[in-house]
Amino acid sequence: MEELPKERVPTPPLPPDATPLKTQVSGHFYGQKETKLGMLELKDGTLVKPLIPHKGDKEWVFYHSVFEPSESMTKDIENLRPLLAQYFGIWNTPLHPGINYIKLENITQKFSKPCILDVKVGPRSWQPGSSDEKRVRETQKYPPQSQVGFRLLGLKVYQMASDSYLELDAMYMRKLQPSDILTKGILLYFHVEENIAYKKKILVAFIKQLKKIHDWFSIQTSYHFYASSLLFVYEGLVTDVQIDQELSYEDMVDVRMIDFTHVFPAHGLKDENCFIGVTKLLNQFKAALQLLS
Ligand SMILES: Nc1ncnc2c1ncn2[C@@H]1O[C@H](COP(=O)(O)OP(=O)(O)OP(=O)(O)O)[C@@H](O)[C@H]1O
Ligand SMILES: O=P(O)(O)O[C@@H]1[C@H](O)[C@H](O)[C@@H](OP(=O)(O)O)[C@H](OP(=O)(O)O)[C@H]1O
């Protein structure tokens, strides 16, 4: 049968208190893809993410279940909260009728020149019960993912010398051979040509935070996540004086879990898919640190 042309959706106008998220590295961008909806940053410093009709509600239900005060709060949930961007409820604009957004903490906001990396976690990124077509589509995006345990989605890194950003997108990342992930992916995120001593300390701080996430996955039996990501951010603008002063590196980095469209109850079982993914990513960060040492 002849395929009908897809209906063109016009880009909805921007609300006066919102701009497209400048620091976005992956996912739905405002004005692109079929819906033309994307992440927006608000004047109050938070961001809003559109709930795509028919699938986005799951993400809202998840954030709501984690952040709404409840008498049945479990240890798993209590320990999960600091690993996520804070959730501030639903947001709407009359300019986008029928569209709900979730309002979240913008974890890049406190940084002067944020350097950002988005990594989809887990050897597989389709949920249980997915159609054969969806499995094939996901697998074909990056066949090595089943061995590598994760997929780099995109990065933006600040280069002090040229006062510019290096940006690599999903298309670049999909071409990386597993043996190149470290040198042509992860190490580029650290732009090690500049301030190598600083970058080593940033890596140490990330490894510490990744261990916390790893510890959570090694214990929790509440959720199974598919196609969720870890979002890494570090400060790209730093002076020699600050480096010499032994900065508090905990404040120079942040890592949170994001993107929860495919979350399932764990029925008392660990999330082996994410556990494997986080373990392998942690090993890559440790290998990156060794290469710099
Ligand atoms: N809390 C946050 N703080 C800062 N930036 C964020 C945050 N959440 C998401 N982002 C940015 O937005 C991008 C897309 O986020 P997310 O994966 O949640 O959106 P999406 O459109 O659902 O993606 P996909 O289509 O891959 O499922 C991330 O790569 C990141 O750059
Ligand atoms: O990150 P990428 O590589 O851009 O891939 C997209 C991303 O994984 C989305 O989460 C997914 O939507 P779902 O959340 O619905 O799975 C979409 O699947 P789709 O191709 O089935 O729309 C993918 O194309």
Side-chain angles (χ1 to χ4, degrees):
M1 211 167 70
E2 203 181 314
E3 253 190 60
L4 291 172
K6 280 199 179 146
E7 202 184 323
R8 276 181 188 271
V9 179
T11 300
L14 273 178
D17 57 343
T19 48
L21 177 63
K22 281 185 295 297
T23 54
Q24 183 169 351
V25 297
S26 172
H28 291 73
F29 289 81
Y30 172 77
Q32 298 178 17
K33 294 199 180 169
E34 313 86 80
T35 64
K36 305 282 191 279
L37 298 168
M39 315 285 288
L40 302 176
E41 54 192 321
L42 304 186
K43 284 207 175 113
D44 67 6
T46 61
L47 63 76
V48 289
K49 172 176 176 171
L51 299 177
I52 306 295
H54 311 300
K55 67 176 193 181
D57 279 358
K58 235 180 155 184
E59 184 155 30
W60 169 72
V61 170
F62 169 71
Y63 272 110
H64 191 80
S65 74
V66 173
F67 283 95
E68 284 307 301
S70 147
E71 287 187 359
S72 57
M73 239 281 272
T74 62
K75 267 271 165 245
D76 281 350
I77 294 180
E78 192 183 331
N79 294 334
L80 174 62
R81 280 183 182 169
L83 308 181
L84 309 185
Q86 227 192 308
Y87 165 72
F88 303 114
I90 292 282
W91 182 88
N92 307 97
T93 167
L95 293 174
H96 303 173
I99 300 296
N100 285 318
Y101 286 78
I102 46 173
K103 192 171 188 195
L104 298 170
E105 171 188 5
N106 175 357
I107 71 155
T108 63
Q109 214 247 341
K110 68 175 183 184
F111 297 94
S112 160
K113 295 287 180 190
C115 299
I116 307 140
L117 171 71
D118 185 333
V119 187
K120 201 177 278 261
V121 174
R124 69 176 252 203
S125 48
W126 64 87
Q127 66 180 53
S130 293
S131 64
D132 290 348
E133 191 208 346
K134 172 71 177 171
R135 280 162 175 249
V136 169
R137 195 159 67 239
E138 288 297 324
T139 310
Q140 281 179 347
K141 278 181 196 167
Y142 194 58
Q145 188 173 341
S146 57
Q147 261 80 53
V148 173
F150 58 85
R151 175 150 61 95
L152 304 181
L153 293 181
L155 63 79
K156 275 187 207 264
V157 53
Y158 181 65
Q159 310 171 112
M160 276 214 293
S162 56
D163 186 24
S164 63
Y165 272 92
L166 166 73
E167 299 188 21
L168 299 175
D169 65 8
M171 290 306 144
Y172 170 91
M173 301 299 189
R174 283 182 198 180
K175 291 186 196 122
L176 290 180
Q177 298 294 324
S179 55
D180 290 337
I181 289 177
L182 190 54
T183 50
K184 296 184 179 158
I186 291 172
L187 279 180
L188 294 192
Y189 174 53
F190 291 99
H191 188 47
V192 290
E193 291 82 0
E194 280 177 350
N195 280 331
I196 191 156
Y198 172 63
K199 301 299 167 56
K200 275 198 233 170
K201 288 176 179 172
I202 290 293
L203 258 162
V204 170
F206 272 142
I207 288 170
K208 208 168 154 188
Q209 292 217 10
L210 263 178
K211 277 186 182 151
K212 287 186 193 163
I213 295 171
H214 184 261
D215 287 351
W216 185 78
F217 274 108
S218 70
I219 294 170
Q220 74 91 18
T221 52
S222 296
Y223 297 107
H224 287 181
F225 304 98
Y226 297 91
S228 292
S229 286
L230 284 173
L231 189 65
F232 294 81
V233 190
Y234 73 85
E235 178 57 67
L237 186 64
V238 63
T239 64
D240 292 344
V241 176
Q242 281 175 304
I243 296 172
D244 290 347
Q245 277 173 348
E246 285 295 318
L247 296 163
S248 162
Y249 283 88
E250 315 286 280
D251 295 339
M252 304 299 268
V253 306
D254 209 338
V255 189
R256 310 289 177 98
M257 290 163 58
I258 59 161
D259 204 3
F260 301 107
T261 313
H262 306 278
V263 182
F264 291 80
H267 300 302
L269 297 172
K270 282 196 215 161
D271 182 345
E272 291 296 342
N273 187 53
C274 279
F275 181 69
I276 292 169
V278 175
T279 306
K280 295 209 172 193
L281 190 57
L282 182 56
N283 289 340
Q284 288 280 325
F285 271 60
K286 287 180 182 166
L289 182 60
Q290 271 197 332
L291 274 184
L292 301 193
S293 300

